[in-house]
Amino acid sequence: MMGRFTAVIVALLFSCISSTSGQTCEKNCGKNLDTCSCHTTCTSLANCCPDYKEYCVNISPYSGSVFGGTDFIILDASFETASEIVCRFNDNINTVGYVDDGGTGHCISPLLYETGWIPFEISSDNGTTFTRAGAWLSVHTGKLDSKFKAILDNSTKWQYYGTPNVGGALEMTWNTSLVRAEKVNIELWGYRETGEPYTEYWLGEWQYLYSLAKDHPNNGSFSFLPKPAENGFSSWELGSVRVSSSSHPDGMWNVQAAWTEDHALAWHLEENFRKDSAGWALEKCLAWDKLENQLPNFLSEIIDCPCTLAQARADTGRFHTDYGCDIEKGSVCTYHPGSVHCVRAIQASPKYGAGQQCCYDSTGAQVLTADSIGGSTPDRAHDWGSPPYKKPPRIPGLSHWIYDVLSFYYCCLWSDNCHYYFKHRPSSDCRRYKSPESAVVFGDPHFITFDGTSYSFNGKGEYTLVESLEKKLTIQGRTEPVTETTNATKLSSVAMREASSDIIEVRLVSGNSGLEVLLNQKTLSFTEQTWMDLNGAFLFSPTSTNVTVMFPSGAGVEVRQREGTMTTTVLLPEDFKDATLGLLGNMNGDAKDDLVFSNASIVQNSSNPEELFSFGASWAIANVSALFTYDSEYLLETYYDAPRHDTSFIPVFLVPESPDDPLANQAATICSGEGSQFCRYDILVGRSPGIGNATRISFQSHVSLVEDLKPVLSCGWLSPPDNGKKEGTTYLQGAKVRLSCNEGYNLKGSAERLCQADGQWSGEETRCVASSNTAGIVAGSVIGALTLIVIITVIVLHSRKRKRKDEHSSETESH
């Protein structure tokens, strides 16, 4: 009790001191004040205002499901036990927090319709004033680590329940720490979208439906025998199960909870589904088919798929692994049987928010839905959502379920009518796909431009790597000496921005043991999430030595830490042609104009290291355009308060050739073949065999990347002939497709067709025509049928004639 009282007194003193001087972080987070700072860099610069941590809060955990319900603690800030905490997200969504017995403040994350970093404020006086500020990371349920959500045991069974041979009890589990309560309620929540599509009235809606159990022991598991929903609730076909404290009223919003992933609610659908699931699903499929005919065509505005698996995995600026079909994780491709890996286009299409999915088989060939149910499918709603989120079809995950996944269940999984689905979701082949161009910086540092020019530049300072005024993309690099005793430098930080996006910086951490990522000058943690949706960018960091940044233009920046150096690869799509400047050259396919000074003059002698050094120095950045973070005295003195290019630092230009050098033998062993001059420089000048070996690996990786991204020509999908079949589902240059006819039919045209260098199939169109025997059989059948019709007609006419005669005789007798 005494410790908590002391903490409150100290906080009040800080507040009084800061307020008296006018220098308080209350409502000033992110700002540099006159006598102290509330900026995120103040901690490392040791110039924070006394109440910085009190008002500019950090939290743990910092991320959770977009569905909400995560209880997170407010670090370092002090609260009175009687404080009534309210947390406000995005200026308009309030949740009720609390203070625990230890005096620590807690917030509950809300149900959101968007992903990414969501700003929030904290009130300790029940919402009268909001004085503290922070940010919460809202995560797509599919990307969320399983430890943060409730798990459906055998989720396939849940989503096929009621179809033939699928029944029995269903089970689910959860980490009990996600819900602090002795008793819990197990609730079903449903999601749907209402209003006319693509109008302002199109809205997403979550709703509490009913409870599966109340006052259930919080033992981490629950099983039940599902029954068809009553009171019309079976009309909700998509939803999630929530585990929350029994102390809350049924369906109370924004309370601490563990949610399952959103899923198809087969297990609670009406009795008609259980009686005839295929017939029920067909009706739904036909209704969806009718709706799709009325909606606008989005296919023309989505990006085309890469032609090969190698291209798809290399084009990291525009495509990213689909978590549902990942070759690195065993290729569990539930919705794409026969595929081993799928990728999704990172950016949604501009007008309709549509997505693209591309799947590949074990040979590396793209799988098309025209050939296989496991083929690539475009999406009316991008699975990951898209800015500005919040409304269909841009709501992460959920809009995709409504328009692209439930319909797949209707037409393909619950019934056998996939032709309806693939009519509206056909695979795009790769005939319009254009590979990006790549450039790289590595080692001490060496450069290979987009057009393949290679050179070394060992200046010390901050320089423009890529500048595109047209696309508003800026990528800057900082170099520093390899060691205090070597006259060679290495890349130590890369900062980037596109248009008004967040500024992202990736730099070597102290000790060169990994990479540090800064978002708008604040260090990011990847302990909970590897993927982050940012403002105007996406970020992926699966390990501490591997970071990829993706921008809306399709530009991608990959940073890899190798042996204390950074290898930075930049990938740019065709739209950047003739629109780049900087150390990585003008991307236009012409290597002659790659080395251009910032004043637009061209390097005259690219083999002259002094002229190359002058060229590199000309691209030193201006103070006003620097994107870097200066959060240490060293950075302030060395870069911020100094010229951006250090004219006093003169590197070694040429590799010394001395057989007496103790590193000569290692250089000879490690460095060989193409690019060996870079490796030798880093060993013999940089004095590091480790860096030299890393340079060799980086060079070879770039060569492989360029090879993977080489343009591949496609002749497009080739259909089998009517009454026939084909062998071969690869349609790239050099591929052969064999065509044959069913029994009773003769082949006309080419039995084998080759994809040629002009993008056309060789030979003639293949047709299957009925053989002569078949024609005779068909003709005989027709004649027999006609004869039978004539006989029946004669009999009928004769019968009618006799009937009239009998009637006439009767009338005569009666008269």
Side-chain angles (χ1 to χ4, degrees), residues 657-689:
E657 299 293 343
S658 172
D660 298 329
D661 190 323
L663 295 179
N665 287 335
Q666 290 190 62
T669 302
I670 295 171
C671 310
S672 62
E674 190 181 4
S676 61
Q677 72 274 22
F678 301 135
C679 172
R680 289 179 59 78
Y681 183 95
D682 293 356
I683 294 177
L684 299 176
V685 178
R687 311 307 294 168
S688 173

PDB file of all heavy atoms in Angstrom, residues 657-689:
ATOM      1  N   GLU A 657      47.114  -5.537 -53.642  1.00  0.00           N
ATOM      2  CA  GLU A 657      47.500  -6.901 -53.999  1.00  0.00           C
ATOM      3  C   GLU A 657      48.866  -7.193 -53.380  1.00  0.00           C
ATOM      4  O   GLU A 657      49.901  -6.809 -53.904  1.00  0.00           O
ATOM      5  CB  GLU A 657      47.551  -7.050 -55.524  1.00  0.00           C
ATOM      6  CG  GLU A 657      46.228  -6.794 -56.225  1.00  0.00           C
ATOM      7  CD  GLU A 657      45.164  -7.850 -55.902  1.00  0.00           C
ATOM      8  OE1 GLU A 657      45.544  -8.947 -55.404  1.00  0.00           O
ATOM      9  OE2 GLU A 657      43.977  -7.571 -56.140  1.00  0.00           O
ATOM     10  N   SER A 658      48.844  -7.832 -52.231  1.00  0.00           N
ATOM     11  CA  SER A 658      50.097  -8.159 -51.539  1.00  0.00           C
ATOM     12  C   SER A 658      50.066  -9.617 -51.120  1.00  0.00           C
ATOM     13  O   SER A 658      49.242 -10.020 -50.288  1.00  0.00           O
ATOM     14  CB  SER A 658      50.280  -7.271 -50.305  1.00  0.00           C
ATOM     15  OG  SER A 658      51.385  -7.716 -49.549  1.00  0.00           O
ATOM     16  N   PRO A 659      50.927 -10.432 -51.696  1.00  0.00           N
ATOM     17  CA  PRO A 659      50.951 -11.851 -51.313  1.00  0.00           C
ATOM     18  C   PRO A 659      51.320 -12.069 -49.855  1.00  0.00           C
ATOM     19  O   PRO A 659      51.058 -13.140 -49.294  1.00  0.00           O
ATOM     20  CB  PRO A 659      52.022 -12.442 -52.252  1.00  0.00           C
ATOM     21  CG  PRO A 659      52.867 -11.273 -52.656  1.00  0.00           C
ATOM     22  CD  PRO A 659      51.959 -10.085 -52.673  1.00  0.00           C
ATOM     23  N   ASP A 660      51.911 -11.052 -49.228  1.00  0.00           N
ATOM     24  CA  ASP A 660      52.292 -11.187 -47.818  1.00  0.00           C
ATOM     25  C   ASP A 660      51.143 -10.877 -46.868  1.00  0.00           C
ATOM     26  O   ASP A 660      51.271 -11.052 -45.657  1.00  0.00           O
ATOM     27  CB  ASP A 660      53.460 -10.241 -47.502  1.00  0.00           C
ATOM     28  CG  ASP A 660      54.697 -10.589 -48.315  1.00  0.00           C
ATOM     29  OD1 ASP A 660      54.870 -11.784 -48.618  1.00  0.00           O
ATOM     30  OD2 ASP A 660      55.454  -9.655 -48.643  1.00  0.00           O
ATOM     31  N   ASP A 661      50.042 -10.398 -47.414  1.00  0.00           N
ATOM     32  CA  ASP A 661      48.880 -10.084 -46.573  1.00  0.00           C
ATOM     33  C   ASP A 661      48.377 -11.374 -45.919  1.00  0.00           C
ATOM     34  O   ASP A 661      48.094 -12.359 -46.617  1.00  0.00           O
ATOM     35  CB  ASP A 661      47.769  -9.463 -47.444  1.00  0.00           C
ATOM     36  CG  ASP A 661      46.636  -8.881 -46.596  1.00  0.00           C
ATOM     37  OD1 ASP A 661      46.298  -9.480 -45.555  1.00  0.00           O
ATOM     38  OD2 ASP A 661      46.085  -7.842 -46.993  1.00  0.00           O
ATOM     39  N   PRO A 662      48.242 -11.393 -44.600  1.00  0.00           N
ATOM     40  CA  PRO A 662      47.781 -12.625 -43.925  1.00  0.00           C
ATOM     41  C   PRO A 662      46.372 -13.054 -44.332  1.00  0.00           C
ATOM     42  O   PRO A 662      45.993 -14.211 -44.103  1.00  0.00           O
ATOM     43  CB  PRO A 662      47.830 -12.259 -42.443  1.00  0.00           C
ATOM     44  CG  PRO A 662      47.837 -10.757 -42.399  1.00  0.00           C
ATOM     45  CD  PRO A 662      48.550 -10.319 -43.643  1.00  0.00           C
ATOM     46  N   LEU A 663      45.603 -12.127 -44.949  1.00  0.00           N
ATOM     47  CA  LEU A 663      44.250 -12.482 -45.380  1.00  0.00           C
ATOM     48  C   LEU A 663      44.186 -12.869 -46.851  1.00  0.00           C
ATOM     49  O   LEU A 663      43.111 -13.180 -47.368  1.00  0.00           O
ATOM     50  CB  LEU A 663      43.288 -11.309 -45.123  1.00  0.00           C
ATOM     51  CG  LEU A 663      43.056 -10.920 -43.665  1.00  0.00           C
ATOM     52  CD1 LEU A 663      42.114  -9.727 -43.573  1.00  0.00           C
ATOM     53  CD2 LEU A 663      42.490 -12.091 -42.872  1.00  0.00           C
ATOM     54  N   ALA A 664      45.322 -12.852 -47.553  1.00  0.00           N
ATOM     55  CA  ALA A 664      45.331 -13.113 -48.993  1.00  0.00           C
ATOM     56  C   ALA A 664      44.807 -14.510 -49.317  1.00  0.00           C
ATOM     57  O   ALA A 664      44.036 -14.699 -50.265  1.00  0.00           O
ATOM     58  CB  ALA A 664      46.743 -12.924 -49.546  1.00  0.00           C
ATOM     59  N   ASN A 665      45.238 -15.503 -48.538  1.00  0.00           N
ATOM     60  CA  ASN A 665      44.805 -16.879 -48.814  1.00  0.00           C
ATOM     61  C   ASN A 665      43.305 -17.043 -48.589  1.00  0.00           C
ATOM     62  O   ASN A 665      42.619 -17.716 -49.364  1.00  0.00           O
ATOM     63  CB  ASN A 665      45.575 -17.866 -47.934  1.00  0.00           C
ATOM     64  CG  ASN A 665      47.017 -18.023 -48.379  1.00  0.00           C
ATOM     65  OD1 ASN A 665      47.338 -17.785 -49.543  1.00  0.00           O
ATOM     66  ND2 ASN A 665      47.886 -18.422 -47.453  1.00  0.00           N
ATOM     67  N   GLN A 666      42.786 -16.418 -47.531  1.00  0.00           N
ATOM     68  CA  GLN A 666      41.334 -16.508 -47.287  1.00  0.00           C
ATOM     69  C   GLN A 666      40.552 -15.824 -48.405  1.00  0.00           C
ATOM     70  O   GLN A 666      39.506 -16.315 -48.829  1.00  0.00           O
ATOM     71  CB  GLN A 666      40.996 -15.873 -45.942  1.00  0.00           C
ATOM     72  CG  GLN A 666      41.498 -16.673 -44.744  1.00  0.00           C
ATOM     73  CD  GLN A 666      40.931 -16.145 -43.438  1.00  0.00           C
ATOM     74  OE1 GLN A 666      39.713 -16.152 -43.240  1.00  0.00           O
ATOM     75  NE2 GLN A 666      41.804 -15.699 -42.548  1.00  0.00           N
ATOM     76  N   ALA A 667      41.081 -14.695 -48.881  1.00  0.00           N
ATOM     77  CA  ALA A 667      40.406 -14.002 -49.983  1.00  0.00           C
ATOM     78  C   ALA A 667      40.383 -14.879 -51.220  1.00  0.00           C
ATOM     79  O   ALA A 667      39.370 -14.954 -51.929  1.00  0.00           O
ATOM     80  CB  ALA A 667      41.110 -12.679 -50.271  1.00  0.00           C
ATOM     81  N   ALA A 668      41.480 -15.564 -51.471  1.00  0.00           N
ATOM     82  CA  ALA A 668      41.544 -16.437 -52.648  1.00  0.00           C
ATOM     83  C   ALA A 668      40.578 -17.612 -52.514  1.00  0.00           C
ATOM     84  O   ALA A 668      39.968 -18.064 -53.495  1.00  0.00           O
ATOM     85  CB  ALA A 668      42.968 -16.938 -52.847  1.00  0.00           C
ATOM     86  N   THR A 669      40.435 -18.127 -51.289  1.00  0.00           N
ATOM     87  CA  THR A 669      39.548 -19.277 -51.052  1.00  0.00           C
ATOM     88  C   THR A 669      38.072 -18.887 -51.123  1.00  0.00           C
ATOM     89  O   THR A 669      37.257 -19.571 -51.738  1.00  0.00           O
ATOM     90  CB  THR A 669      39.848 -19.899 -49.671  1.00  0.00           C
ATOM     91  OG1 THR A 669      41.208 -20.290 -49.618  1.00  0.00           O
ATOM     92  CG2 THR A 669      38.949 -21.103 -49.418  1.00  0.00           C
ATOM     93  N   ILE A 670      37.737 -17.761 -50.489  1.00  0.00           N
ATOM     94  CA  ILE A 670      36.328 -17.353 -50.383  1.00  0.00           C
ATOM     95  C   ILE A 670      35.820 -16.729 -51.669  1.00  0.00           C
ATOM     96  O   ILE A 670      34.684 -16.978 -52.091  1.00  0.00           O
ATOM     97  CB  ILE A 670      36.155 -16.362 -49.203  1.00  0.00           C
ATOM     98  CG1 ILE A 670      36.464 -17.062 -47.880  1.00  0.00           C
ATOM     99  CG2 ILE A 670      34.726 -15.794 -49.184  1.00  0.00           C
ATOM    100  CD1 ILE A 670      36.522 -16.117 -46.690  1.00  0.00           C
ATOM    101  N   CYS A 671      36.671 -15.920 -52.311  1.00  0.00           N
ATOM    102  CA  CYS A 671      36.207 -15.108 -53.437  1.00  0.00           C
ATOM    103  C   CYS A 671      36.589 -15.753 -54.769  1.00  0.00           C
ATOM    104  O   CYS A 671      37.782 -15.942 -55.050  1.00  0.00           O
ATOM    105  CB  CYS A 671      36.809 -13.710 -53.379  1.00  0.00           C
ATOM    106  SG  CYS A 671      36.618 -12.904 -51.769  1.00  0.00           S
ATOM    107  N   SER A 672      35.604 -16.073 -55.568  1.00  0.00           N
ATOM    108  CA  SER A 672      35.873 -16.628 -56.896  1.00  0.00           C
ATOM    109  C   SER A 672      34.694 -16.334 -57.798  1.00  0.00           C
ATOM    110  O   SER A 672      33.587 -16.097 -57.343  1.00  0.00           O
ATOM    111  CB  SER A 672      36.106 -18.143 -56.805  1.00  0.00           C
ATOM    112  OG  SER A 672      34.946 -18.797 -56.310  1.00  0.00           O
ATOM    113  N   GLY A 673      34.968 -16.347 -59.094  1.00  0.00           N
ATOM    114  CA  GLY A 673      33.897 -16.164 -60.075  1.00  0.00           C
ATOM    115  C   GLY A 673      33.429 -14.729 -60.171  1.00  0.00           C
ATOM    116  O   GLY A 673      34.078 -13.783 -59.702  1.00  0.00           O
ATOM    117  N   GLU A 674      32.253 -14.569 -60.773  1.00  0.00           N
ATOM    118  CA  GLU A 674      31.690 -13.240 -60.986  1.00  0.00           C
ATOM    119  C   GLU A 674      31.442 -12.546 -59.648  1.00  0.00           C
ATOM    120  O   GLU A 674      30.950 -13.148 -58.706  1.00  0.00           O
ATOM    121  CB  GLU A 674      30.369 -13.372 -61.760  1.00  0.00           C
ATOM    122  CG  GLU A 674      29.817 -12.048 -62.241  1.00  0.00           C
ATOM    123  CD  GLU A 674      28.489 -12.212 -62.973  1.00  0.00           C
ATOM    124  OE1 GLU A 674      27.974 -13.356 -63.025  1.00  0.00           O
ATOM    125  OE2 GLU A 674      27.965 -11.207 -63.479  1.00  0.00           O
ATOM    126  N   GLY A 675      31.792 -11.277 -59.571  1.00  0.00           N
ATOM    127  CA  GLY A 675      31.591 -10.513 -58.345  1.00  0.00           C
ATOM    128  C   GLY A 675      32.695 -10.681 -57.336  1.00  0.00           C
ATOM    129  O   GLY A 675      32.616 -10.140 -56.227  1.00  0.00           O
ATOM    130  N   SER A 676      33.750 -11.416 -57.679  1.00  0.00           N
ATOM    131  CA  SER A 676      34.812 -11.683 -56.708  1.00  0.00           C
ATOM    132  C   SER A 676      35.531 -10.410 -56.290  1.00  0.00           C
ATOM    133  O   SER A 676      36.095 -10.348 -55.198  1.00  0.00           O
ATOM    134  CB  SER A 676      35.813 -12.687 -57.284  1.00  0.00           C
ATOM    135  OG  SER A 676      36.421 -12.181 -58.457  1.00  0.00           O
ATOM    136  N   GLN A 677      35.528  -9.357 -57.165  1.00  0.00           N
ATOM    137  CA  GLN A 677      36.235  -8.121 -56.808  1.00  0.00           C
ATOM    138  C   GLN A 677      35.618  -7.467 -55.581  1.00  0.00           C
ATOM    139  O   GLN A 677      36.309  -6.838 -54.768  1.00  0.00           O
ATOM    140  CB  GLN A 677      36.242  -7.145 -58.001  1.00  0.00           C
ATOM    141  CG  GLN A 677      34.920  -6.476 -58.328  1.00  0.00           C
ATOM    142  CD  GLN A 677      34.027  -7.309 -59.248  1.00  0.00           C
ATOM    143  OE1 GLN A 677      34.179  -8.535 -59.327  1.00  0.00           O
ATOM    144  NE2 GLN A 677      33.105  -6.646 -59.936  1.00  0.00           N
ATOM    145  N   PHE A 678      34.291  -7.612 -55.412  1.00  0.00           N
ATOM    146  CA  PHE A 678      33.623  -7.039 -54.239  1.00  0.00           C
ATOM    147  C   PHE A 678      34.017  -7.796 -52.977  1.00  0.00           C
ATOM    148  O   PHE A 678      34.310  -7.205 -51.926  1.00  0.00           O
ATOM    149  CB  PHE A 678      32.103  -7.075 -54.413  1.00  0.00           C
ATOM    150  CG  PHE A 678      31.609  -6.336 -55.625  1.00  0.00           C
ATOM    151  CD1 PHE A 678      30.648  -6.893 -56.459  1.00  0.00           C
ATOM    152  CD2 PHE A 678      32.098  -5.078 -55.942  1.00  0.00           C
ATOM    153  CE1 PHE A 678      30.183  -6.215 -57.572  1.00  0.00           C
ATOM    154  CE2 PHE A 678      31.644  -4.378 -57.046  1.00  0.00           C
ATOM    155  CZ  PHE A 678      30.689  -4.954 -57.875  1.00  0.00           C
ATOM    156  N   CYS A 679      34.017  -9.092 -53.091  1.00  0.00           N
ATOM    157  CA  CYS A 679      34.381  -9.946 -51.957  1.00  0.00           C
ATOM    158  C   CYS A 679      35.821  -9.678 -51.529  1.00  0.00           C
ATOM    159  O   CYS A 679      36.127  -9.564 -50.334  1.00  0.00           O
ATOM    160  CB  CYS A 679      34.182 -11.410 -52.373  1.00  0.00           C
ATOM    161  SG  CYS A 679      34.787 -12.642 -51.202  1.00  0.00           S
ATOM    162  N   ARG A 680      36.726  -9.556 -52.504  1.00  0.00           N
ATOM    163  CA  ARG A 680      38.137  -9.321 -52.200  1.00  0.00           C
ATOM    164  C   ARG A 680      38.330  -7.968 -51.509  1.00  0.00           C
ATOM    165  O   ARG A 680      39.118  -7.837 -50.580  1.00  0.00           O
ATOM    166  CB  ARG A 680      38.972  -9.392 -53.484  1.00  0.00           C
ATOM    167  CG  ARG A 680      39.100 -10.807 -54.063  1.00  0.00           C
ATOM    168  CD  ARG A 680      39.914 -10.806 -55.355  1.00  0.00           C
ATOM    169  NE  ARG A 680      41.271 -10.273 -55.140  1.00  0.00           N
ATOM    170  CZ  ARG A 680      42.274 -10.937 -54.594  1.00  0.00           C
ATOM    171  NH1 ARG A 680      42.080 -12.195 -54.194  1.00  0.00           N
ATOM    172  NH2 ARG A 680      43.460 -10.382 -54.442  1.00  0.00           N
ATOM    173  N   TYR A 681      37.608  -6.951 -51.958  1.00  0.00           N
ATOM    174  CA  TYR A 681      37.715  -5.631 -51.329  1.00  0.00           C
ATOM    175  C   TYR A 681      37.331  -5.713 -49.860  1.00  0.00           C
ATOM    176  O   TYR A 681      38.012  -5.150 -48.987  1.00  0.00           O
ATOM    177  CB  TYR A 681      36.812  -4.632 -52.063  1.00  0.00           C
ATOM    178  CG  TYR A 681      36.913  -3.221 -51.534  1.00  0.00           C
ATOM    179  CD1 TYR A 681      37.763  -2.295 -52.127  1.00  0.00           C
ATOM    180  CD2 TYR A 681      36.175  -2.824 -50.427  1.00  0.00           C
ATOM    181  CE1 TYR A 681      37.878  -1.003 -51.629  1.00  0.00           C
ATOM    182  CE2 TYR A 681      36.282  -1.534 -49.909  1.00  0.00           C
ATOM    183  CZ  TYR A 681      37.135  -0.630 -50.521  1.00  0.00           C
ATOM    184  OH  TYR A 681      37.253   0.645 -50.020  1.00  0.00           O
ATOM    185  N   ASP A 682      36.261  -6.409 -49.578  1.00  0.00           N
ATOM    186  CA  ASP A 682      35.748  -6.443 -48.204  1.00  0.00           C
ATOM    187  C   ASP A 682      36.656  -7.236 -47.273  1.00  0.00           C
ATOM    188  O   ASP A 682      36.689  -6.986 -46.062  1.00  0.00           O
ATOM    189  CB  ASP A 682      34.337  -7.026 -48.180  1.00  0.00           C
ATOM    190  CG  ASP A 682      33.345  -6.116 -48.879  1.00  0.00           C
ATOM    191  OD1 ASP A 682      33.751  -5.015 -49.299  1.00  0.00           O
ATOM    192  OD2 ASP A 682      32.174  -6.504 -49.021  1.00  0.00           O
ATOM    193  N   ILE A 683      37.405  -8.176 -47.842  1.00  0.00           N
ATOM    194  CA  ILE A 683      38.350  -8.926 -47.003  1.00  0.00           C
ATOM    195  C   ILE A 683      39.670  -8.180 -46.862  1.00  0.00           C
ATOM    196  O   ILE A 683      40.197  -8.019 -45.751  1.00  0.00           O
ATOM    197  CB  ILE A 683      38.590 -10.338 -47.597  1.00  0.00           C
ATOM    198  CG1 ILE A 683      37.299 -11.175 -47.525  1.00  0.00           C
ATOM    199  CG2 ILE A 683      39.722 -11.048 -46.849  1.00  0.00           C
ATOM    200  CD1 ILE A 683      37.418 -12.547 -48.149  1.00  0.00           C
ATOM    201  N   LEU A 684      40.191  -7.676 -47.979  1.00  0.00           N
ATOM    202  CA  LEU A 684      41.534  -7.106 -47.969  1.00  0.00           C
ATOM    203  C   LEU A 684      41.562  -5.637 -47.572  1.00  0.00           C
ATOM    204  O   LEU A 684      42.578  -5.150 -47.067  1.00  0.00           O
ATOM    205  CB  LEU A 684      42.174  -7.287 -49.344  1.00  0.00           C
ATOM    206  CG  LEU A 684      42.339  -8.759 -49.781  1.00  0.00           C
ATOM    207  CD1 LEU A 684      42.901  -8.843 -51.193  1.00  0.00           C
ATOM    208  CD2 LEU A 684      43.239  -9.513 -48.804  1.00  0.00           C
ATOM    209  N   VAL A 685      40.458  -4.911 -47.775  1.00  0.00           N
ATOM    210  CA  VAL A 685      40.375  -3.516 -47.326  1.00  0.00           C
ATOM    211  C   VAL A 685      39.561  -3.423 -46.040  1.00  0.00           C
ATOM    212  O   VAL A 685      39.971  -2.785 -45.068  1.00  0.00           O
ATOM    213  CB  VAL A 685      39.774  -2.610 -48.424  1.00  0.00           C
ATOM    214  CG1 VAL A 685      39.652  -1.170 -47.910  1.00  0.00           C
ATOM    215  CG2 VAL A 685      40.643  -2.637 -49.674  1.00  0.00           C
ATOM    216  N   GLY A 686      38.401  -4.078 -46.052  1.00  0.00           N
ATOM    217  CA  GLY A 686      37.552  -4.078 -44.861  1.00  0.00           C
ATOM    218  C   GLY A 686      38.109  -4.930 -43.747  1.00  0.00           C
ATOM    219  O   GLY A 686      37.644  -4.843 -42.601  1.00  0.00           O
ATOM    220  N   ARG A 687      39.091  -5.789 -44.094  1.00  0.00           N
ATOM    221  CA  ARG A 687      39.780  -6.648 -43.133  1.00  0.00           C
ATOM    222  C   ARG A 687      38.824  -7.587 -42.415  1.00  0.00           C
ATOM    223  O   ARG A 687      38.945  -7.863 -41.233  1.00  0.00           O
ATOM    224  CB  ARG A 687      40.559  -5.824 -42.075  1.00  0.00           C
ATOM    225  CG  ARG A 687      41.448  -4.721 -42.625  1.00  0.00           C
ATOM    226  CD  ARG A 687      42.401  -5.234 -43.681  1.00  0.00           C
ATOM    227  NE  ARG A 687      43.393  -6.185 -43.150  1.00  0.00           N
ATOM    228  CZ  ARG A 687      44.186  -6.942 -43.914  1.00  0.00           C
ATOM    229  NH1 ARG A 687      44.091  -6.871 -45.251  1.00  0.00           N
ATOM    230  NH2 ARG A 687      45.050  -7.772 -43.368  1.00  0.00           N
ATOM    231  N   SER A 688      37.864  -8.125 -43.161  1.00  0.00           N
ATOM    232  CA  SER A 688      36.889  -9.030 -42.545  1.00  0.00           C
ATOM    233  C   SER A 688      36.517 -10.158 -43.506  1.00  0.00           C
ATOM    234  O   SER A 688      35.750  -9.955 -44.451  1.00  0.00           O
ATOM    235  CB  SER A 688      35.623  -8.267 -42.151  1.00  0.00           C
ATOM    236  OG  SER A 688      34.622  -9.159 -41.711  1.00  0.00           O
ATOM    237  N   PRO A 689      37.060 -11.361 -43.291  1.00  0.00           N
ATOM    238  CA  PRO A 689      36.635 -12.505 -44.106  1.00  0.00           C
ATOM    239  C   PRO A 689      35.139 -12.785 -43.973  1.00  0.00           C
ATOM    240  O   PRO A 689      34.494 -13.218 -44.936  1.00  0.00           O
ATOM    241  CB  PRO A 689      37.463 -13.668 -43.537  1.00  0.00           C
ATOM    242  CG  PRO A 689      38.661 -13.008 -42.934  1.00  0.00           C
ATOM    243  CD  PRO A 689      38.166 -11.703 -42.376  1.00  0.00           C
TER     244      PRO A 689
END
